[in-house]
Amino acid sequence: MAATLAPADRLAAPSLRLHHPSSLSRRLLVPSRLPTTFLLPYRRPQVVAMAVETGGANSKPRVLVAEKLGEAGLALLKGLADVDCSYNLSPEELRAKIALCDALIVRSGTKVGRDVFESSGGKLKVVGRAGVGIDNVDLAAATEHGCLVVNAPTANTVAAAEHGIALLTAMARNIARSDASMKAGKWERNKYVGVSLVGKILAILGFGKVGSEVARRAKGLGMHVIAHDPYAAADRARAMGVELVTFDEAIASADFISLHMPLTPSTSKILNDEAFAKMKKGVRVINVARGGVIDEEALVKALDSGVVAQAALDVFTKEPPSADSKLVLHAKVIATPHLGASTVEAQEEVAIEIAEAVIGALKGELAATAVNAPMVPPEVLTELAPFVVLAEKLGRLAVQLVAGGSGVKSVKVTYASARTSADLDTRLLRAMITKGLIEPISDVHINLVNADYTAKKRGIRITEERIPLDGSPENPIESIQVHIANAESKFPTAVSGMGEITVEGRVKYGIPHLTKVGSFQVDASMEGSLILCRQVDQPGMIGTVGSILGEQNVNVSYMSVGRIAPRKHAVMAIGVDEEPTKAALKKIGDIPAIEEFVFLKL
């Protein structure tokens, strides 16, 4: 009988000793498997072990503000700390100042690398990024030096959406070019005839916070809005009058395409030569997301050929772009210098949000916008380390099995253990499963501090159950199962008899293994990447698939077959060291005995 786990605050917090990751890793014997962003301090949920030692009972912490911050945020900071506003610092000047500071606040223009954390001598306790992206902060170095990193992810949502709409309308009516023409003393009414928005199809790629706000505004302009986001919930989109479609359907039918997705390995250059070839001639493209989601050379070619009639861009792969950038100088392009969050209101809201996050961290309070956190006590981490890796990989695998459009809303995690609920603290494991579920499809960084908060904000309900086992409680967990309910799967075999996408894993010899997919038992080491095939159980299948991969110089690390009965159906799990080409995967799919297959990155 499954027992529901008790609330998160189950165990008394042990005394804390912070350890450098290198010494901790030597004791754990799994140095490369544990993500550094999960080396966290154990604390009860209401606080984080981050209270600043400022050198005296009445002394104030010192905050360095290295880039311009709104007055409202500065006023909040000055109520708690001594604030040093020093802008345009050179790297050398920043390193010299940081040794005296407890907190640092930056925007996107200041690089906070390992050298900064090393120069702080351990005094720097929190870095605040006034905005969403944290590309300019070395998270691994921050974690190693016990420094919390927080950002301001919500304050600029409306501003970014408004800028997207501004670019869309300005592009449609040739505002920038006609304004330049007027200023040059010309009157060219016939040259700058625009296009109407009413009744046109707007495809939104990335239906998160900003994408949703753009959709609302575009609907008000009379546009027909469709969206592609593999992990957005269809019911939420329908409530807004938006239809969720596949990526190919979105780009093939759109008159306008607006990008609002994070930059991840799966979205990098998602608009490339192949994508532009599928679009109808005369499409118009807007990007206020991240520059890297568009292949800029491919966009220039599409503009030259007329496939793309116009583009309106606020972000670029390299910022600032070069002065002779063909894309920026193109006559069919409107370009703005990353102004998505640049409104007076948004700047003030960002300033307030980051100031509150930094102040809370300096006081030792929970930071819901933390993107990393310092270290966990070794006694907890030593025991759970291999299960931490297993938990993240199960979450990562499960979310890749979800078919686009159905979304992830209900997740159940089941732990098989001989321990009682009071002796099994699963918060770190739950956070890692959340990390695996969310990070592959977003730019949010999940850790023990923000996992539950982030899942709730995304409408994902995660429940936990314990299946009691007989035997010794020395081993904390026998197996972990992740179930995703009410979701279609791109690999239907992964759907169990209960109608849920189900995966199970165990730790064997310190290494995470996938042991069950749907109703099929398998035995696959969760390293590298994985191909799952449902097939008719017959001789020669392993050799046939292995030969196809070998021809493509793809190294197979293992193969495992789980079947219901001889000569019936089986699931073959194939571990590969390299990602197979599309052609190789197509050849595997074309084998008559293979009924379905999926490629998964672990």
Side-chain angles (χ1 to χ4, degrees), residues 65-276:
V65 181
E67 295 183 66
K68 189 170 177 58
L69 195 69
E71 288 299 325
L74 290 175
L76 287 173
L77 290 168
K78 290 174 181 177
L80 172 79
D82 292 326
V83 179
D84 176 4
C85 294
S86 297
Y87 308 146
N88 302 314
L89 294 173
S90 68
E92 294 76 16
E93 291 170 330
L94 177 59
R95 289 195 296 268
K97 277 182 170 288
I98 205 66
L100 303 174
C101 299
D102 301 291
L104 169 66
I105 295 178
V106 299
R107 301 187 72 86
S108 61
T110 301
K111 183 173 177 58
V112 187
R114 181 173 294 275
D115 58 333
V116 174
F117 294 105
E118 290 175 349
S119 298
S120 75
K123 184 173 176 60
L124 186 63
K125 299 300 187 296
V126 57
V127 172
R129 164 67 169 93
V132 180
I134 42 81
D135 300 345
N136 55 317
V137 181
D138 188 331
L139 290 181
T143 299
E144 289 176 22
H145 289 81
C147 182
L148 193 70
V149 180
V150 295
N151 67 350
T154 62
N156 59 10
T157 297
V158 170
E162 289 177 346
H163 194 61
I165 292 294
L167 288 177
L168 184 150
T169 54
M171 175 175 59
R173 299 306 297 269
N174 297 305
I175 300 298
R177 294 174 68 194
S178 57
D179 175 70
S181 173
M182 285 284 291
K183 286 181 168 58
K186 300 176 182 179
W187 184 263
E188 299 177 296
R189 292 184 65 194
N190 294 331
K191 184 176 181 180
Y192 297 114
V193 175
V195 295
S196 179
L197 300 178
V198 173
K200 297 294 171 58
I201 297 175
L202 170 65
I204 294 176
L205 304 184
F207 199 61
K209 293 191 293 289
V210 177
S212 300
E213 292 296 329
V214 169
R216 289 190 178 94
R217 288 156 177 77
K219 294 283 289 184
L221 294 172
M223 302 187 80
H224 175 64
V225 181
I226 60 177
H228 169 70
D229 188 325
Y231 306 101
D235 55 351
R236 174 171 164 268
R238 280 195 298 270
M240 297 175 59
V242 175
E243 180 186 2
L244 287 181
V245 297
T246 67
F247 176 77
D248 285 348
E249 288 172 337
I251 63 175
S253 59
D255 300 301
F256 293 80
I257 295 174
S258 188
L259 292 108
H260 303 285
M261 55 182 58
L263 179 59
T264 68
S266 62
T267 63
S268 178
K269 296 187 178 180
I270 195 168
L271 291 195
N272 50 29
D273 287 322
E274 182 181 352
F276 288 123

Side-chain angles (χ1 to χ4, degrees), residues 269-506:
K269 296 187 178 180
I270 195 168
L271 291 195
N272 50 29
D273 287 322
E274 182 181 352
F276 288 123
K278 296 176 181 178
M279 298 176 189
K280 61 185 181 185
K281 190 168 184 178
V283 69
R284 290 170 167 82
V285 177
I286 306 101
N287 188 12
V288 294
R290 289 288 185 267
V293 300
I294 296 180
D295 182 333
E296 294 182 349
E297 291 184 6
L299 177 55
V300 170
K301 287 189 287 185
L303 288 162
D304 289 340
S305 69
V307 170
V308 176
Q310 292 174 291
L313 309 172
D314 186 49
V315 289
F316 304 88
T317 300
K318 177 187 175 184
E319 294 187 356
S322 62
D324 59 351
S325 166
K326 290 182 180 179
L327 186 61
V328 173
L329 298 177
H330 204 289
K332 297 179 181 179
V333 171
I334 295 176
T336 55
H338 206 144
L339 298 178
S342 295
T343 66
V344 172
E345 295 82 2
Q347 293 300 299
E348 285 300 296
E349 290 172 9
V350 166
I352 292 170
E353 185 173 3
I354 198 61
E356 289 176 342
V358 169
I359 289 169
L362 290 174
K363 289 180 176 180
E365 296 172 355
L366 177 66
T369 61
V371 294
N372 81 327
M375 303 176 201
V376 149
E379 57 270 26
V380 175
L381 191 53
T382 299
E383 181 174 67
L384 290 183
F387 300 97
V388 163
V389 180
L390 172 65
E392 181 186 358
K393 295 203 174 210
L394 285 174
R396 188 175 293 270
L397 188 150
V399 78
Q400 291 180 75
L401 291 171
V402 176
S406 55
V408 176
K409 287 298 174 186
S410 179
V411 179
K412 182 174 71 175
V413 183
T414 302
Y415 308 96
S417 174
R419 293 191 180 180
T420 65
S421 296
D423 292 326
L424 183 64
D425 188 349
T426 60
R427 283 175 294 175
L428 183 55
L429 301 178
R430 182 176 71 244
M432 286 302 279
I433 289 168
T434 304
K435 177 183 175 74
L437 288 168
I438 294 177
E439 280 195 0
I441 46 87
S442 77
D443 57 359
V444 178
H445 295 266
I446 307 298
N447 56 53
L448 181 60
V449 176
N450 68 0
D452 290 343
Y453 169 85
T454 304
K456 183 178 179 181
K457 290 288 287 184
R458 289 177 170 264
I460 302 174
R461 183 172 181 266
I462 300 178
T463 59
E464 296 176 288
E465 289 184 354
R466 184 185 66 88
I467 298 176
L469 300 177
D470 294 330
S472 171
E474 182 177 348
N475 186 35
I477 294 170
E478 182 66 25
S479 67
I480 301 175
Q481 287 189 355
V482 176
H483 310 264
I484 299 179
N486 305 317
E488 296 179 6
S489 177
K490 63 179 69 172
F491 186 64
T493 298
V495 178
S496 68
M498 301 295 291
E500 301 170 328
I501 296 174
T502 300
V503 292
E504 178 190 271
R506 299 169 185 255

